Amino acid sequence: MGLSVTLTVNGVPRTVALDDPRVTLLDLLRERLDLPGTKKGCDRGQCGACTILLDGRRANACLALALSHDGAEIVTIEGLAQHEQLHPVQAAFIEHDAFQCGFCTPGQIMSAVGLIAEGQAGEDPERVREGMSGNLCRCGAYQGITEAVVEATRAVRGDAA
Ligand code: FES
Ligand code: FES
């Protein structure tokens, strides 16, 4: 019997046939749905490069089996901007030079979006650093990343107010 999984990805329902039950969400997004913005760093849950929003919460796509998340809602970096309008987190990353090579950046941004939605860190740089600690940056752009997340938190709160 053929296996398949149905997901809503960046607002679009997608059904994908699977020939292997061990396919991860990361490989499904990158290789089957042509969404390569989600990066494969370690492929073992240690770097955060593959961070997506899974049913509204940040998750490492390399650790999630696609079949286990049938029916889930997924947002990837490709789904953040709306009609050419950058998400406040994306805009803040540019404003604060929060990247160098950019490899970790999609994961950093998705993690920041999740962190802001969780509302745990607020505008406290120390708590932001702690909340973002699952996302590694080999270029060491941490200062800019923290500043960007703090500013984006303000922007998102301002929009919501
Ligand atoms: Fe998933 Fe590193 S690629 S955590
Ligand atoms: Fe190069 Fe973070 S910007 S790994």
Side-chain angles (χ1 to χ4, degrees):
M1 194 172 72
L3 299 168
S4 72
V5 63
T6 298
L7 304 162
T8 302
V9 181
N10 298 331
V12 179
R14 310 287 297 261
T15 298
V16 183
L18 300 177
D19 50 16
D20 186 333
R22 296 166 299 177
V23 173
T24 63
L25 280 178
L26 178 58
D27 287 339
L28 184 121
L29 290 167
R30 290 178 57 83
E31 293 167 16
R32 303 295 303 281
L33 297 179
D34 291 326
L35 292 170
T38 307
K39 300 302 181 205
K40 183 182 281 194
C42 63
D43 209 18
R44 57 175 63 183
Q46 293 177 347
C47 73
C50 64
T51 306
I52 57 171
L53 295 185
L54 177 57
D55 289 329
R57 300 191 63 82
R58 44 194 179 147
N60 288 334
C62 71
L63 294 183
L65 287 179
L67 266 186
S68 304
H69 296 283
D70 193 36
E73 286 224 17
I74 289 172
V75 181
T76 71
I77 190 72
E78 291 92 343
L80 271 195
Q82 298 293 323
H83 312 294
E84 310 287 315
Q85 173 89 30
L86 291 180
H87 185 282
V89 175
Q90 292 173 304
F93 266 64
I94 293 170
E95 177 84 6
H96 288 272
D97 279 335
F99 48 84
Q100 288 181 38
C101 77
F103 186 82
C104 72
T105 310
Q108 301 278 3
I109 289 175
M110 296 312 296
S111 190
V113 172
L115 178 68
I116 292 169
E118 288 158 26
Q120 302 293 333
E123 296 171 28
D124 178 348
E126 199 50 51
R127 295 182 71 187
V128 165
R129 266 192 288 277
E130 190 183 325
M132 295 290 294
S133 61
N135 290 80
L136 306 184
C137 174
R138 293 174 67 144
C139 300
Y142 293 111
Q143 169 110 11
I145 291 168
T146 302
E147 289 171 6
V149 178
V150 169
E151 179 178 315
T153 303
R154 274 188 214 118
V156 170
R157 284 179 168 180
D159 284 355

